[in-house]
Amino acid sequence: QENGVEGQVKLMLEILPNGEVGSVSKIQSPISDKLAQDLIRQAELWRFKPIYKSGKALSGNIVVTVDYALNRG
């Protein structure tokens, strides 16, 4: 975890019935706020397969852990 540029980041994602991400919040992050905000913006673009119950797509929240590290190559 070198100077706030790597580590495990936990995000809470709201998944909408259509599989899009509705909102993202940071739960835990050892990385800098700027890098965390960049990660959140990327997470907002993620898509998920909808879950159905009785033929109706559901929304819900999930927690994801992202191993974050800058590429030094």
Side-chain angles (χ1 to χ4, degrees):
Q1 295 161 347
E2 189 175 309
N3 297 326
V5 297
E6 60 184 49
Q8 288 191 333
V9 181
K10 287 189 180 183
L11 301 174
M12 171 79 74
L13 281 63
E14 174 195 21
I15 309 302
L16 302 176
N18 65 359
E20 294 182 357
V21 175
S23 64
V24 180
S25 58
K26 178 177 63 172
I27 297 175
Q28 176 185 346
S29 174
I31 65 175
S32 72
D33 286 342
K34 180 185 182 326
L35 293 176
Q37 287 303 316
D38 289 343
L39 180 58
I40 287 170
R41 278 193 288 281
Q42 289 300 311
E44 290 170 343
L45 301 175
W46 297 350
R47 298 294 175 259
F48 294 83
K49 183 176 180 180
I51 295 175
Y52 291 89
K53 183 174 183 180
S54 300
K56 183 178 178 185
L58 303 176
S59 62
N61 294 315
I62 61 170
V63 175
V64 295
T65 301
V66 178
D67 289 323
Y68 189 92
L70 292 179
N71 186 356
R72 291 180 172 78

